[in-house]
Amino acid sequence: MPIAYTDLVALLQGIFVRHGVTPEVASVLATNCATAERDGAHSHGVFRIKGYLSSLASGWVSGTAVPVVEDVASGYVAADAAGGFAQPALHAARPLLVAKARAAGIAVLAIRNSHHFAALWPDVEPFAEEGLVALSVVNSMTCVVPHGASKPVFGTNPVAFAAPCAGGAPIVFDLATSALAHGDVQIAAREGHSLPPGSGVDRHGQPTCDPAAVLDGGALLPFGGHKGSALSMMVELLSAALTGGHFSFGFDWSQHPGAQTPWTGQLIIVIDPAKAAGVPFAERAQTLVAHMREAGVERMPGERRQRNRARAAAEGIPLKAEVLAQLRQWAGQAV
Ligand code: NDP
Ligand code: PYC
């Protein structure tokens, strides 16, 4: 049953507001979640609403927090999300971050005391749409065993990158540093699929392809062995040690049954490529992409999402009837 993007945003906003979230925060979260669903980023689309609501109901995350933005230095902005979500903090800090990046050539935004329960690319793609290069990292909750270790320490810890590219959409990629995102393990368990070999271990530390065994006391592995493990460590350092947020192992939600939103930190680095020497950056990006195409690359990261986005604009966002009915029920609408 297709739904228009703007209608989905409004529906999700209504759900958040009905569950105690301020209209400002609800607007940011609803837009983020509808954008993910529209682009076919299913592990962080409407599937996540149940987790948002149970986390809010548990008192673990604040839906009314007002972020505090701090002008720290010429290239450094900090934001205290005040126990709320990271995206409203980004929203509040964004004008100062962009102004600093354009003035100095580079600026960082260090968000702490924040919950991030979403895909990361929506946080960086808009910078590239206005000609900037952006890199972001966020840590999550302990469920990934470092390479060579015997118990989980890291979160699934994604890295997202966006850059302008002449003649087309920005180049955007966004990937968990674990073999799979935790959301995809949950979806595999729900749909009865097994995981690719090398994704995770069971509660005894034995390799398993069973998503239920990973979720039930097991853990994920980093992608690419020691390489993904090093990147995941970097994400912990930048998202937590640098921002003042919690490490993925550093918070205890056991007293909040239903809590699912990791309480950590996020770093965003924004670079103004107008400061770069020589041929404009976006043209050089286009040259690189042309060479990749010529070498046989058929699918660039982000292209699947762009295709889904175009399809959703023409036909609406496909949602199962029972999913739409559940959303409408949460919004207090007649089903
Ligand atoms: P995927 O492995 O599905 O995709 C990673 C990237 O690779 C995407 O940019 C994707 O582009 C691209 N890609 C995938 N397959 C191909 C291919 N065959 N050829 C070329 N490019 C390809 O993502 P993950 O499962 O690692 O992560 C899913 C989401 O989970 C991310 O959005 C991430 O931010 C989110 N997440 C959030 C966390 C949080 O704490 N908030 C924690 C962990 C993950 P495309 O999108 O176009 O398919
Ligand atoms: O899919 O790994 C994940 C995830 C963690 C927090 C939000 N999403």
Side-chain angles (χ1 to χ4, degrees):
M1 189 162 294
I3 180 169
Y5 172 69
T6 47
D7 291 342
L8 183 58
V9 173
L11 177 59
L12 299 183
Q13 192 167 354
I15 294 173
F16 282 119
V17 169
R18 190 158 181 264
H19 289 79
V21 175
T22 58
E24 296 75 21
V25 172
S27 167
V28 172
L29 296 182
T31 303
N32 173 292
C33 188
T35 301
E37 189 67 34
R38 177 197 65 190
D39 282 18
H42 296 296
S43 66
H44 291 82
V46 299
F47 154 73
R48 290 280 169 180
I49 294 296
K50 190 174 178 193
Y52 276 109
L53 299 187
S54 68
S55 293
L56 286 161
S58 76
W60 170 246
V61 60
S62 169
T64 58
V66 178
V68 179
V69 177
E70 299 152 12
D71 186 343
V72 177
S74 58
Y76 205 110
V77 183
D80 181 349
F85 292 97
Q87 293 88 354
L90 167 57
H91 188 71
R94 201 176 189 286
L96 182 60
L97 175 65
V98 169
K100 283 183 183 294
R102 291 209 187 276
I106 184 166
V108 304
L109 170 61
I111 303 174
R112 66 184 185 278
N113 199 5
S114 52
H115 295 245
H116 202 293
F117 199 50
L120 201 52
W121 59 263
D123 297 356
V124 291
E125 189 176 75
F127 290 106
E129 285 168 347
E130 53 182 285
L132 299 165
V133 176
L135 179 76
S136 185
V137 292
V138 63
N139 60 326
S140 63
M141 66 282 176
T142 310
C143 61
V144 177
V145 183
H147 184 70
S150 57
K151 62 176 190 174
V153 175
F154 300 148
T156 41
N157 297 3
V159 177
F161 174 81
C165 184
I171 297 167
V172 181
F173 71 78
D174 174 16
L175 45 93
T177 51
S178 47
L180 289 172
H182 199 263
D184 281 324
V185 182
Q186 294 174 48
I187 290 173
R190 186 185 69 194
E191 296 183 351
H193 299 147
S194 57
L195 307 178
S199 303
V201 293
D202 65 17
R203 59 169 56 244
H204 307 294
Q206 295 305 311
T208 182
C209 295
D210 178 2
V214 170
L215 296 174
D216 180 19
L220 284 163
L221 297 171
F223 83 85
H226 62 282
K227 301 185 184 186
S229 194
L231 287 176
S232 192
M233 176 179 66
M234 178 195 77
V235 174
E236 293 288 343
L237 289 170
L238 294 179
S239 308
L242 193 71
T243 65
H246 292 297
F247 287 119
S248 295
F249 60 80
F251 58 86
D252 176 9
W253 51 14
S254 62
Q255 300 309 304
H256 294 263
Q260 293 189 32
T261 57
W263 181 28
T264 55
Q266 178 180 4
L267 190 81
I268 300 166
I269 302 171
V270 177
I271 300 168
D272 181 4
K275 302 287 188 286
V279 177
F281 175 89
E283 288 175 30
R284 300 213 66 196
Q286 186 180 31
T287 301
L288 175 63
V289 171
H291 275 71
M292 291 168 67
R293 297 273 190 220
E294 207 249 313
V297 172
E298 287 182 357
R299 175 178 166 186
M300 291 289 293
E303 268 182 1
R304 180 193 63 89
R305 288 191 304 98
Q306 292 289 347
R307 262 199 311 279
N308 284 333
R309 189 178 299 187
R311 193 175 310 123
E315 301 167 10
I317 302 169
L319 282 186
K320 287 186 180 154
E322 62 267 27
V323 172
L324 194 51
Q326 175 66 83
L327 294 174
R328 289 195 167 129
Q329 193 187 336
W330 280 326
Q333 297 178 2
V335 178

